[in-house]
């Protein structure tokens, strides 16, 4: 498993933990959108490693995870 | 010099309480908002997090000056271990206990990505105990002959109390629905 | 020959609906020393085969379970006849609340470990163990459907070649099918992939067939004439976008309004969401309420777009496949019964008008 700084990570939404705070949509600049009830679309998204870290840290419910097995 | 320290200690103590209350109110607004708007939440969360760290500066200053000044006797041990102070053991102890809980809350938050969400949540909920202890400590101790400081502390108590009640009174439909389904038979 | 190799030769796949190769599951279970849960809940609506396997083949079933694991738990709905039979046989029963998602694989594992019978969000298969949302440690646990376990014991006794004597090369082996709805002889039938669906329908005594629902809430629909002509297998049903899944066949007669039927099932589904995942706990009820209004003939035609949009938002957005199933089930129904749907939008459904007249 390569883990250099410039690689990419896949962020996944933990659906049970997500409580529709919508922060992910703001922090990802709209790469994550919210559905009519306020829950994120899509469920997984690949992005630069640093952005992924930042996004994961900003979710108030800690509902964003870096996908395993990559 | 000694007198200065004494005043700095009281001022930073009161400031800590103000900031602590603001941070707590922001946290309550975050978790209790009836409607969620991403931008607002993002901003509130940012302020909640950085202000919490900022408050630490004043709290450290408050404790350090309280120990340093020799006007009354508070030693280093009682700054960390509650209810060991030779001077006003109980009231100083409340403050120490509050600071200890606060340290745990902040430490678990900084390490949030590495520890279990459950541990974080339990520790974070200890805020509900920490805040009243601290207010009690503030009102009963340092501000007895300073109407401005005492008034500020009381204002904090009132503001925090009001928001606490608002938080308990309702929640977002996500939490409401979760609770509703949880009451059904699942075991 | 090892059991894993034997099952691999036989080509046995899970009979609970997901059709995952049993040999692969067993291989990883043996590596981790997993416990076994035999799922005899018949969790899908319209399925009664697990009850039949327990009632008529309990010895073989127990033999199969013993082949697979040392520690076995038997999951059955609380208060069911199946639960009683298992208890009377002295087996360790895991009583499961009678809820749709409660018999989902990870929900059973959660229940076994003292948690609630609700699905768990996972990044790796639940069979390898892990942790639940409360931080409880979950041991590696193999969950197999009762029919699957019974087939294991049959394969061990009669061999892979015997097993492959049934079904098709891609979907080998005998399979149980539960026939229900508007038929004279509802019940569980021995069948196999590749038989004409006409045989199944005739065996159960279906005559008047407006449509056929396959695999309950996790499947979809066939128009009557397609059902008479189709082949019973995943390959045969693929053109209609539905799997054989759990092997339930529900016949809807001409006197039943399919839109009303869809609305009823969707409303049931809305009450069955485990209330853990936002898109499911709000999306499914929203779909159900639109379907209710469609069934009552009061849904404006413009709202059909919303309905389809909402259906499209459900798949892949829950901790379990429940919203995926509901979405496919409803979308397939709307597609299959588009003529009836149009009649409802125009307020011209005859059955609907009769219903309204009767209540007036
Ligand atoms: S920020 Fe977190 S809790 Fe909020 S919508 Fe995004 S994933 Fe869900
Ligand atoms: S998708 Fe629905 S049924 Fe499945 S776990 Fe989430 S809320 Fe429960």
């Amino acid at each position: 498993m390569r883990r250099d700084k410039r690689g990419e990570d896949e962020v996944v939404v933990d659906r049970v933990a997500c409580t529709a705070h919508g922060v992910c949509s703001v922090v990802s600049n709209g790469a994550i959108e919210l559905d009519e009830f306020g829950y994120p679309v899509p469920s997984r998204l690949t992005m630069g490693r640093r952005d992924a870290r930042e996004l994961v840290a900003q979710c108030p419910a800690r509902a964003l995870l870096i996908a395993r097995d990559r | 010099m000694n007198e200065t320290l004494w005043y700095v200690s009281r001022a930073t103590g009161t400031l800590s309480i103000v900031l602590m209350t603001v941070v707590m109110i922001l946290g309550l607004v975050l978790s209790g908002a009836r409607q969620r708007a991403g931008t607002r939440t993002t901003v509130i969360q940012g302020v909640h997090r950085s202000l919490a760290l900022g408050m630490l500066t004043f709290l450290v200053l408050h404790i350090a000056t309280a120990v340093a000044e020799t006007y009354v006797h508070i030693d280093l041990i009682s700054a960390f271990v509650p209810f060991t102070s030779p001077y006003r053991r109980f009231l100083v102890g409340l403050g120490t206990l509050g600071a200890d809980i606060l340290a745990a809350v902040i430490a678990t938050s900084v390490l949030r990505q590495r520890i279990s969400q459950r541990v974080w949540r339990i520790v974070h909920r200890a805020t509900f105990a920490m805040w009243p202890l601290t207010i009690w400590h503030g009102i009963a101790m340092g501000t007895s002959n300073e109407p401005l400081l005492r008034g500020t502390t009381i204002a904090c108590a009132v503001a925090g109390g009001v928001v606490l009640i608002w938080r308990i009174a309702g929640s977002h439909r996500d939490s409401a629905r979760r609770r509703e389904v949880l009451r059904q038979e699942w075991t | 020959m090892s059991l894993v190799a034997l099952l691999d030769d036989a080509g046995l796949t899970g009979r609970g609906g997901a059709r995952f190769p049993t040999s692969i599951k067993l291989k990883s279970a043996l590596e981790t020393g997993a416990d076994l849960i035999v799922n005899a809940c018949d969790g899908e609506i319209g399925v009664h085969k697990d009850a039949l396997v327990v009632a008529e083949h309990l010895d073989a079933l127990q033999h199969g379970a013993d082949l697979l694991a040392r520690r076995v738990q038997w999951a059955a709905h609380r208060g069911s006849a199946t639960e009683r039979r298992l208890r009377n046989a002295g087996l360790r029963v895991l009583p499961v609340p009678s809820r749709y998602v409660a018999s989902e694989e990870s929900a059973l594992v959660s229940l076994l470990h003292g948690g609630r019978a609700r699905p768990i969000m996972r990044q790796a298969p639940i069979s390898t163990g892990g942790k639940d949302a409360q931080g409880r440690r979950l041991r590696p646990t193999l969950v197999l459907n009762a029919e699957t376990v019974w087939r294991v014991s049959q394969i061990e006794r009669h061999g892979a070649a015997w097993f492959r004597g049934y079904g098709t090369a891609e979907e080998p082996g005998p399979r149980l099918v539960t026939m229900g709805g508007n038929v004279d002889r509802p019940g569980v039938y021995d069948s196999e992939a590749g038989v004409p669906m006409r045989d199944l329908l005739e065996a159960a005594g279906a005559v008047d067939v407006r449509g056929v629902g396959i695999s309950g809430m996790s499947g979809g629909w066939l128009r009557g004439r397609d059902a008479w002509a189709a082949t019973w297998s995943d390959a045969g049903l693929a053109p209609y976008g539905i799997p054989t899944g759990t092997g339930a066949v529900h016949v809807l007669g001409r006197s039943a309004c399919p839109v009303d039927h869809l609305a009823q099932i969707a409303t049931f589904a809305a009450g069955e969401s485990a209330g853990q995942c936002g898109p499911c706990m709000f999306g499914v009820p929203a779909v159900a309420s639109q379907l209710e209004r469609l069934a009552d003939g009061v849904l404006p035609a413009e709202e059909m777009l919303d309905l389809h949009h909402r259906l499209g938002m459900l798949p892949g957005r829950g901790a379990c496949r429940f919203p995926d199933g509901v979405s496919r089930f409803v979308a397939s129904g709307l597609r299959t019964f588009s003529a009836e749907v149009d009649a409802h939008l125009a307020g011209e459904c005859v059955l609907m008008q009769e219903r309204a007249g009767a209540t007036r």
Side-chain angles (χ1 to χ4, degrees):
Chain A
M1 201 191 307
R2 267 178 57 222
R3 280 267 176 226
D4 62 274
K5 275 227 158 68
R6 268 163 297 139
E8 298 214 306
D9 263 331
E10 193 181 20
V11 175
V12 292
V13 181
D14 179 331
R15 289 294 171 186
V16 177
C18 168
T19 50
H21 283 281
V23 172
C24 50
S25 167
V26 177
V27 178
S28 71
N29 277 319
I32 293 178
E33 292 181 21
L34 302 178
D35 68 11
E36 60 174 314
F37 310 108
Y39 299 94
V41 193
S43 294
R44 25 183 78 233
L45 189 67
T46 303
M47 63 184 75
R49 188 148 290 158
R50 295 179 95 221
D51 290 348
R53 285 277 148 77
E54 172 66 11
L55 191 59
V56 165
Q58 288 296 327
C59 170
R62 204 179 165 207
L64 297 173
L65 314 164
I66 305 278
R68 283 197 243 147
D69 302 324
R70 286 197 83 231
Chain B
M1 178 61 193
N2 217 342
E3 201 159 294
T4 318
L5 282 180
W6 173 237
Y7 281 118
V8 169
S9 184
R10 296 165 78 181
T12 49
T14 310
L15 253 174
S16 298
I17 287 183
V18 172
L19 288 176
M20 191 181 292
T21 306
V22 172
V23 169
M24 184 187 77
I25 287 176
L26 291 176
L28 291 172
V29 168
L30 270 179
S31 67
R34 314 301 198 253
Q35 275 167 21
R36 285 181 178 161
T39 318
R40 191 186 59 199
T41 312
T42 311
V43 172
I44 295 180
Q45 173 168 268
V47 179
H48 170 76
R49 288 180 177 179
S50 30
L51 220 51
L53 291 176
M55 167 189 61
L56 265 188
T57 325
F58 292 100
L59 189 61
V60 167
L61 217 58
H62 168 65
I63 296 172
T65 47
V67 172
E69 60 83 37
T70 50
Y71 194 57
V72 297
H73 190 68
I74 301 175
D75 56 21
L76 202 55
I77 295 175
S78 57
F80 294 99
V81 187
F83 310 114
T84 54
S85 160
Y87 170 73
R88 306 190 77 171
R89 170 177 299 220
F90 181 68
L91 289 177
V92 170
L94 289 179
T96 310
L97 187 56
D100 288 346
I101 297 176
L102 187 80
V105 170
I106 292 187
T108 48
S109 292
V110 170
L111 296 174
R112 191 177 181 193
Q113 297 299 330
R114 313 224 181 119
I115 62 175
S116 92
Q117 175 73 2
R118 207 171 59 110
V119 170
W120 175 85
R121 194 189 301 271
I122 292 169
V123 176
H124 228 72
R125 286 214 174 122
T127 310
F128 290 118
M130 180 269 287
W131 180 76
L133 292 182
T134 317
I135 293 276
W136 186 0
H137 163 89
I139 291 180
M141 277 200 75
T143 56
S144 46
N145 47 18
E146 286 283 354
L148 181 67
L149 295 187
R150 167 159 285 189
T152 310
T153 311
I154 291 175
C156 282
V158 172
V162 168
V163 180
L164 257 176
I165 291 168
W166 169 86
R167 170 68 185 89
I168 294 165
S171 59
H172 185 250
R173 61 189 142 96
D174 179 283
S175 341
R177 181 86 183 115
R178 277 170 204 269
R179 267 200 304 277
E180 196 181 312
V181 178
L182 202 57
R183 277 198 295 272
Q184 300 166 356
E185 186 191 3
W186 286 111
T187 53
Chain C
M1 193 198 288
S2 77
L3 188 59
V4 171
L6 185 63
L7 296 180
D8 189 40
D9 268 9
L12 176 64
T13 55
R15 295 305 199 227
R19 332 247 54 208
F20 192 79
T22 309
S23 59
I24 298 181
K25 269 192 164 185
L26 178 61
K27 186 160 181 280
S28 95
L30 291 175
E31 281 161 9
T32 53
D35 297 348
L36 172 68
I37 296 179
V38 181
N39 186 357
C41 287
D42 279 328
E44 185 54 74
I45 43 180
V47 176
H48 303 293
K49 66 193 178 73
D50 301 344
L52 175 118
V53 173
V54 169
E56 297 185 4
H57 307 285
L58 191 52
D59 286 344
L61 190 54
Q62 262 181 274
H63 177 65
D66 291 341
L67 293 172
L68 293 165
R70 221 169 301 145
R71 286 157 51 96
V72 184
Q73 291 270 351
W74 300 76
H77 279 158
R78 183 178 294 127
S80 64
T82 305
E83 185 198 21
R84 234 172 301 123
R85 285 207 174 86
L86 293 169
R87 278 201 201 284
N88 290 343
L91 298 170
R92 298 216 302 182
V93 173
L94 179 67
V96 180
S98 212
R99 304 284 310 250
Y100 186 82
V101 293
S103 52
E104 190 264 352
E105 188 179 26
S106 67
L108 288 178
V109 174
S110 165
L111 184 67
L112 176 66
H113 290 80
R116 296 188 177 88
R118 305 204 290 179
I120 294 171
M121 189 82 204
R122 54 225 119 116
Q123 288 216 52
I126 193 73
S127 53
T128 58
K131 268 188 184 171
D132 70 5
Q134 279 74 46
R136 223 178 257 113
R137 281 186 57 91
L138 307 172
R139 287 187 308 276
T141 311
L142 174 66
V143 180
L144 291 175
N145 172 262
E147 187 193 343
T148 314
V149 176
W150 178 44
R151 298 300 178 203
V152 168
S153 91
Q154 287 183 316
I155 291 168
E156 193 248 0
R157 195 157 297 168
H158 308 298
W162 166 84
F163 188 77
R164 283 198 174 271
Y166 295 87
T168 64
E170 292 76 33
E171 301 167 49
R175 286 198 64 185
L176 295 176
V177 174
T178 315
M179 303 292 297
N182 188 34
V183 294
D184 291 339
R185 294 176 292 278
V188 181
Y189 289 79
D190 287 310
S191 186
E192 61 195 293
V195 300
M197 275 197 67
R198 168 173 292 278
D199 290 3
L200 286 170
L201 292 169
E202 282 173 351
V207 184
D208 156 32
V209 182
R210 183 194 288 267
V212 169
I214 310 278
S215 190
M217 239 175 358
S218 58
W221 292 93
L222 283 176
R223 202 94 224 155
R225 61 181 131 73
D226 293 332
W228 287 111
T231 300
W232 174 252
S233 69
D234 283 341
L237 296 182
Y240 307 100
I242 48 180
T244 54
T246 52
V249 176
H250 181 91
V251 174
L252 208 61
R254 282 189 197 285
S255 60
C257 169
V259 180
D260 191 49
H261 183 80
L262 282 182
Q264 278 179 30
I265 302 230
T267 301
F268 167 74
E272 289 301 300
S273 159
Q276 304 194 102
C277 316
C280 173
M281 66 182 167
F282 292 111
V284 176
V287 163
S289 84
Q290 277 187 307
L291 280 174
E292 289 278 357
R293 288 194 291 139
L294 178 64
D296 291 341
V298 295
L299 189 79
E302 315 85 78
E303 277 200 40
M304 284 305 283
L305 258 171
D306 286 347
L307 177 55
H308 282 291
H309 177 72
R310 282 178 173 161
L311 289 171
M313 293 301 266
L314 287 175
R317 297 185 70 223
C320 74
R321 315 287 292 169
F322 174 70
D324 307 52
V326 172
S327 171
R328 181 168 60 187
F329 171 84
V330 173
S332 159
L334 293 176
R335 211 180 322 117
T336 307
F337 302 113
S338 59
E340 288 88 341
V341 169
D342 290 346
H344 275 257
L345 289 172
E348 285 164 1
C349 168
V350 181
L351 295 165
M352 179 182 84
Q353 283 161 356
E354 279 172 11
R355 236 188 8 258
T359 55
R360 210 167 283 142

